[in-house]
């Protein structure tokens, strides 16, 4: 019978391996997976977000996001400006330089995805995603219950 140890070990291994593969794929761009995750998120979410929204949406600590953004800013991939609607907040925006490398960033993640789904049929992948979504919904409901108490 499957138990939490089996699931936890596989989930942990998948995440660790995926992070290592992405790190290797991003290395030629002088980017870490933390920096790549932020760039990819900005690319898919509209090229500009509040720094606080990055923290919430990526579920990364404020200090970790701040460190990654400092590095991305030094490398010329993002700018941070005060949010006109909230002086305490900052808006993070991709630069033209980031847009130029965006195909390579996306390719780094696409290569990781291709490795993940090799030898898996479309039906198997669809079933995995269906189950993964159900587990995610279960966790979301549990989080809501914990937050209510």
């Amino acid at each position: 019978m499957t138990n939490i140890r089996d699931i936890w070990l596989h989930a942990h291994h998948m995440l660790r391996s995926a992070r290592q593969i992405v790190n290797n794929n991003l290395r030629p761009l002088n980017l870490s997976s933390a920096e790549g995750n932020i760039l990819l998120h900005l690319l898919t979410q509209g090229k500009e977000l509040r720094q606080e929204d990055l923290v919430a949406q990526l579920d990364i600590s404020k200090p970790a996001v701040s460190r990654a953004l400092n590095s991305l800013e030094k490398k010329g991939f993002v700018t941070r400006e005060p949010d006109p609607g909230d002086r305490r907040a900052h808006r993070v925006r991709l630069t033209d330089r980031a847009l130029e490398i965006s195909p390579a960033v996306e390719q780094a993640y696409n290569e990781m995805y291709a490795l993940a789904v090799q030898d898996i049929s479309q039906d198997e992948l669809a079933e995995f995603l269906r189950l993964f979504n159900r587990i995610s919904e279960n966790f979301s409901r549990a989080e809501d219950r914990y937050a209510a108490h």
Side-chain angles (χ1 to χ4, degrees), residues 3-20:
N3 62 36
I4 188 60
R5 271 189 233 121
D6 298 322
I7 294 168
W8 191 261
L9 289 173
H10 289 299
H12 178 73
H13 182 258
M14 281 189 331
L15 291 172
R16 184 176 54 82
S17 296
R19 186 173 39 255
Q20 288 175 341

Side-chain angles (χ1 to χ4, degrees), residues 8-75:
W8 191 261
L9 289 173
H10 289 299
H12 178 73
H13 182 258
M14 281 189 331
L15 291 172
R16 184 176 54 82
S17 296
R19 186 173 39 255
Q20 288 175 341
I21 290 165
V22 168
N23 272 324
N24 287 335
N25 290 345
L26 291 173
R27 189 170 290 123
L29 300 172
N30 191 29
L31 294 170
S32 68
S33 61
E35 294 166 333
N37 290 346
I38 289 173
L39 290 178
L40 186 65
H41 193 71
L42 286 166
L43 286 165
T44 59
Q45 298 302 310
K47 300 180 183 93
E48 180 181 326
L49 283 174
R50 289 172 6 116
Q51 186 167 334
E52 293 76 11
D53 293 335
L54 281 170
V55 169
Q57 292 171 11
L58 294 174
D59 195 28
I60 303 172
S61 71
K62 287 181 182 183
V65 168
S66 186
R67 280 190 303 274
L69 289 174
N70 286 341
S71 178
L72 287 168
E73 203 168 26
K74 286 178 187 170
K75 294 174 184 179

Side-chain angles (χ1 to χ4, degrees), residues 14 18 21 109-120 125 128:
M14 281 189 331
I21 290 165
Y109 287 86
N110 287 336
E111 287 177 18
M112 183 264 308
Y113 176 77
L115 286 170
V117 299
Q118 67 186 2
D119 300 326
I120 296 175
L125 184 57
F128 171 78

